[in-house]
Amino acid sequence: MTKKIQTPLTREKVRELKAGDSCLISGVIYTARDAAHGRLCAALERGEDLPVDLREQTVFYAGPTPPPPGKPTGAIGPTTSVRMDAYTPQLLAYGVNALIGKGGRTQPVLAALQQQDAVYFAAIGGCAAYMAACVESCDVVAYEDLGTESIKRLRVRDMPLTVAVDCHGGNAYTDGMNAYADMMDGQKG
């Protein structure tokens, strides 16, 4: 069963999500990649306010391409999440409560997701054109000088995602590998 969820996600909604859940997310999400993460964390370390309040918000590791005529954005696919792992625990402690990207996460991020009651969604790599069709609006809200890597506020409708890591320690990546290993062991016997 696919869960329809609306942003901003409350902590209660985050706690209801389980690794492996299929979701359609609608509402406002923010894009941010490596360079923006570096600036955000540097500002937090200096005790400065962030240029956009990301508390209880969803951050999508993506840099949308320029829009074709009549569209809010061009292709928008997930960036490999581990590239943001050096920054992620700090942003989760600040109050970000949902992340979207692709691929596994390091142990410090897995621990921070549990500590902060946050969730990590996996988006399908290679489906950037399809993901763009879910975007209703796209506005630069910070670090415009970074171009495609600037922070953008997206309004999305029914963007397909899978809960990769939940706040309870569930991990679809490791669960999937373990299930496959069990299946292979069963075929050997």
Side-chain angles (χ1 to χ4, degrees), residues 76-168:
I76 181 168
T79 298
T80 303
S81 300
V82 74
R83 292 171 37 192
M84 269 50 75
D85 280 10
Y87 309 109
T88 301
Q90 186 176 8
L91 290 174
L92 291 172
Y94 164 77
V96 171
N97 68 356
L99 309 164
I100 303 169
K102 68 178 179 184
R105 307 308 295 264
T106 58
Q107 190 56 45
V109 172
L110 298 176
L113 288 165
Q114 284 188 277
Q115 291 166 356
Q116 303 300 333
D117 280 339
V119 64
Y120 168 52
F121 294 101
I124 300 168
C127 293
Y130 180 76
M131 300 290 272
C134 299
V135 177
E136 296 178 331
S137 66
C138 175
D139 300 295
V140 175
V141 293
Y143 309 139
E144 187 171 3
D145 62 304
L146 294 178
T148 59
E149 291 201 32
S150 62
I151 297 177
K152 295 171 184 70
R153 180 186 303 113
L154 305 179
R155 180 161 299 282
V156 299
R157 177 167 307 283
D158 293 338
M159 182 176 278
L161 304 170
T162 301
V163 176
V165 180
D166 63 38
C167 67
H168 310 288

Side-chain angles (χ1 to χ4, degrees), residues 9-18 56 97 117 167-168:
L9 295 175
T10 63
R11 296 290 174 183
E12 292 75 26
K13 179 52 99 176
V14 167
R15 288 184 196 107
E16 293 173 12
L17 298 170
K18 304 287 185 240
E56 297 192 357
N97 68 356
D117 280 339
C167 67
H168 310 288

